[in-house]
Amino acid sequence: MSRKITPVILAGGIGSRLWPLSRKAMPKQFLPLLSDESLLQSTLKRVTGSQFNAPILVCNEAHRFIAKSQALDVSKNVTLLLEPEGKNTAPAIALAAEYAQKNGLLGPLLVMPADHYICDFEKLLARLDDAVALAEAQQLVTFAITPTEPHTGYGYIRQGPPLHRDGCYKVAEFKEKPVLKLAEQYIASGEFSWNSGMFLFFADVYLSELKRFAPKIASSIAQAASFTEDLGFLRPNADILKTCPSDSIDYAILERSENVAMLPVDLTWSDVGSFSALSKIANKESIW
């Protein structure tokens, strides 16, 4: 059994906003958009330190060989969980949580999208002790990005009361992508951060909250998580999983639970969600 942090990399997206560069057969996480390596490979390299277990990579069945090939170029020990079809982040994370529990991975899960750009991840690594302490207090921890502009393409998190760890807060509320005027108000208030889509929590806490707020998803995943191994891939029960409702972790749990904490981090970060974002990063990195 291991108490180390287990990275959970979500690689099931299709990157539709970057079409035709990102396509259904080859989504953006598998493309070398910002360097000689893909976004997935860059993400995997961030979590190779001694504090981490081997990562769990959740991806679509259709991309299994691409994902395996790219992952093995970075790490020789990656668990690949396959989804027969995308069901959004809440079920995908639940699959990883069920796998972790069944395989003695007792430490917290660090959940990260496979397709984001971060050039100074060491700033997040420096806050892991704070994040783990919050998770040990039964909190679902979301890493909130210190905003640099009134961006209309990101969700926002409003800061609540401070918690017992310096620089850590309860979440007051989540806000959807705003119009520009509202985004400007958020930034001016000093109370809001960008929602990064990166989280840290224990598997049992996540599954408990999922059962509380999204019982149909929790039940489906619990039944589907009888994994079978095939050519180095782990497959859940596809017939059951196909009946699972689709929902994001934000809608299914985070916007409803009172046990959500935010840990603001001043990262240079982007979800690479548009051609303008891609161009801005490329110009900054002088790679085009």
Side-chain angles (χ1 to χ4, degrees):
M1 294 186 179
S2 176
R3 300 289 298 184
K4 290 183 178 182
I5 297 170
T6 300
V8 174
I9 312 300
L10 305 178
I14 60 173
S16 59
R17 288 178 291 170
L18 285 180
W19 185 89
L21 192 61
S22 173
R23 306 177 307 281
K24 187 175 181 179
M26 182 66 80
K28 68 174 180 175
Q29 61 267 28
F30 303 118
L31 297 175
L33 297 178
L34 299 168
S35 69
D36 292 335
E37 60 192 18
S38 70
L39 294 174
L40 168 62
Q41 291 172 318
S42 295
T43 302
L44 287 168
K45 284 186 175 180
R46 294 178 193 132
V47 288
T48 56
S50 60
Q51 69 268 56
F52 297 111
N53 288 317
I56 299 171
L57 176 59
V58 185
C59 72
N60 192 283
E61 170 90 18
H63 306 131
R64 63 194 184 279
F65 293 115
I66 301 170
K68 182 178 181 179
S69 175
Q70 292 194 3
L72 291 180
D73 281 343
V74 175
S75 173
K76 299 306 179 186
N77 189 14
V78 178
T79 298
L80 290 111
L81 301 185
L82 302 183
E83 296 179 291
E85 58 186 66
K87 292 291 186 176
N88 215 318
T89 53
I93 296 168
L95 277 177
E98 289 280 2
Y99 175 85
Q101 287 198 319
K102 292 175 185 294
N103 289 273
L105 302 174
L106 302 182
L109 308 178
L110 174 60
V111 179
M112 305 168 60
D115 56 357
H116 288 186
Y117 164 82
I118 306 172
C119 72
D120 46 8
F121 193 70
E122 65 275 4
K123 293 179 179 178
L124 188 146
L125 295 177
R127 301 300 310 273
L128 279 181
D129 286 347
D130 291 323
V132 171
L134 290 172
E136 288 173 340
Q138 309 295 297
Q139 296 292 301
L140 304 171
V141 182
T142 178
F143 293 95
I145 305 298
T146 304
T148 58
E149 60 179 318
H151 203 295
T152 60
Y154 299 149
Y156 285 74
I157 308 171
R158 185 165 70 84
Q159 180 177 300
L163 294 169
H164 64 284
R165 305 286 292 196
D166 288 343
C168 303
Y169 305 88
K170 292 291 289 184
V171 170
E173 63 180 325
F174 289 84
K175 293 287 190 179
E176 296 304 312
K177 298 173 183 177
V179 297
L180 179 58
K181 184 175 181 179
L182 196 54
E184 291 171 342
Q185 293 173 6
Y186 290 168
I187 300 300
S189 74
E191 297 180 353
F192 286 86
S193 299
W194 291 334
N195 186 354
S196 72
M198 296 186 288
F199 314 100
L200 186 139
F201 38 69
F202 285 89
D204 60 339
V205 175
Y206 176 79
L207 292 173
S208 176
E209 291 293 87
L210 186 69
K211 186 175 181 180
R212 179 182 175 195
F213 293 109
K216 291 183 179 180
I217 294 177
S219 176
S220 294
I221 296 299
Q223 294 177 64
S226 53
F227 299 99
T228 57
E229 194 272 339
D230 175 35
L231 298 176
F233 303 105
L234 290 172
R235 288 186 170 87
N237 186 304
D239 291 336
I240 295 175
L241 197 59
K242 287 178 180 179
T243 69
C244 179
S246 176
D247 207 351
S248 71
I249 181 178
D250 303 81
Y251 286 135
I253 301 176
L254 299 182
E255 294 185 5
R256 306 164 69 186
S257 172
E258 65 274 13
N259 299 317
V260 184
M262 61 182 286
L263 202 163
V265 186
D266 186 21
L267 292 180
T268 305
W269 166 91
S270 171
D271 70 354
V272 199
S274 66
F275 281 100
S276 62
L278 181 60
S279 177
K280 184 181 294 186
I281 299 166
N283 290 335
K284 185 182 298 183
E285 296 291 329
S286 300
I287 61 175
W288 287 3

